[in-house]
Amino acid sequence: KKYKDGSEYEGNFKNGKENGYGIKKWKNGEIDEGEFIDGLKNGKGKHSFLDGQKYEGDFCEDHYNGNGIYIWPDGLKYIGEFKYDKIEGKGILTMPNGDQYEGFFMDGKYNGFGVESKIDGSKYEGQFRNDDYEGHGVKTFSNGEKYDGEFHKGNFHGKGTFYYKDGDRLEGSWNNGNKDGILKKITKRI
């Protein structure tokens, strides 16, 4: 069926509305394929954008809602939960270069507990707020050194311990990434 707005639908109808499996081609070149109820995407389906972006997963009343996969043309890929078209809940975001975040999202940003793994071997495991390390976490660097402690806006902030690769460690407090106050260096005994 062709519509006045230039879109086309091929599939099942009920009471004059799209119902059941169908394919809808929009005037702008975007394509919806999957289950429809009363003219809206509901259930399993796919949405393909003209620029190469793709979504495949659950829909509810024309919104990405539930579990799905979203792929961008540059190779960025998200697998996880959506809520009303937003990345929301638990998921995995893989960057085009292979870096990856696995954890919780709120409003499309890292929020709550997560693990960020980089291809250079560095890793952060802990709390996030609005894409930043926030709260307690463990940051392991590609050279084998690590920091276990508090973070604020991505920086060491508060109490923590920095572990050197030779086994020595530094315990104390940090303020926005800088050593603050009295720090205790503990040397590994041979």
Side-chain angles (χ1 to χ4, degrees):
K1 177 178 178 175
K2 267 195 162 188
Y3 295 97
K4 292 179 185 177
D5 66 4
S7 63
E8 298 178 29
Y9 176 78
E10 185 179 317
N12 298 317
F13 286 87
K14 184 178 176 184
N15 298 326
K17 292 185 179 180
E18 300 147 357
N19 264 288
Y21 179 81
I23 299 172
K24 189 167 189 174
K25 296 178 183 178
W26 297 90
K27 183 180 178 179
N28 65 3
E30 294 179 5
I31 299 171
D32 286 320
E33 179 180 352
E35 298 295 320
F36 290 81
I37 297 174
D38 292 331
L40 301 174
K41 295 181 301 268
N42 277 285
K44 300 287 182 195
K46 300 177 188 176
H47 183 88
S48 300
F49 295 86
L50 198 55
D51 68 0
Q53 294 181 58
K54 295 178 183 175
Y55 171 81
E56 184 172 347
D58 298 328
F59 285 88
C60 181
E61 297 179 350
D62 264 356
H63 296 283
Y64 311 149
N65 213 31
N67 291 306
I69 301 170
Y70 199 107
I71 301 171
W72 287 261
D74 66 359
L76 183 65
K77 182 178 183 180
Y78 173 77
I79 301 171
E81 297 175 338
F82 290 82
K83 188 172 183 181
Y84 294 100
D85 299 326
K86 292 182 181 178
I87 293 173
E88 187 96 19
K90 190 169 184 179
I92 301 170
L93 183 67
T94 305
M95 310 304 164
N97 71 352
D99 291 349
Q100 189 175 78
Y101 170 81
E102 182 173 355
F104 289 90
F105 293 82
M106 187 167 55
D107 202 20
K109 295 184 176 188
Y110 309 166
N111 275 288
F113 182 80
V115 178
E116 180 184 68
S117 304
K118 306 245 180 187
I119 59 167
D120 68 3
S122 63
K123 182 179 181 179
Y124 172 82
E125 187 171 344
Q127 295 298 317
F128 286 83
R129 184 185 305 149
N130 295 325
D131 289 340
D132 279 329
Y133 309 154
E134 187 75 28
H136 185 263
V138 177
K139 172 75 177 176
T140 304
F141 297 90
S142 59
N143 67 1
E145 295 179 336
K146 76 176 180 180
Y147 171 80
D148 183 345
E150 298 299 314
F151 287 84
H152 179 63
K153 294 186 179 178
N155 294 311
F156 303 168
H157 190 84
K159 292 188 183 218
T161 303
F162 189 90
Y163 296 88
Y164 295 94
K165 59 184 174 182
D166 65 5
D168 291 354
R169 67 183 192 267
L170 192 59
E171 296 177 350
S173 293
W174 278 259
N175 187 353
N176 288 320
N178 299 308
K179 297 171 187 168
D180 186 40
I182 299 171
L183 294 166
K184 182 179 179 183
K185 184 168 185 175
I186 300 168
T187 305
K188 179 183 172 187
R189 295 189 181 187
I190 297 175

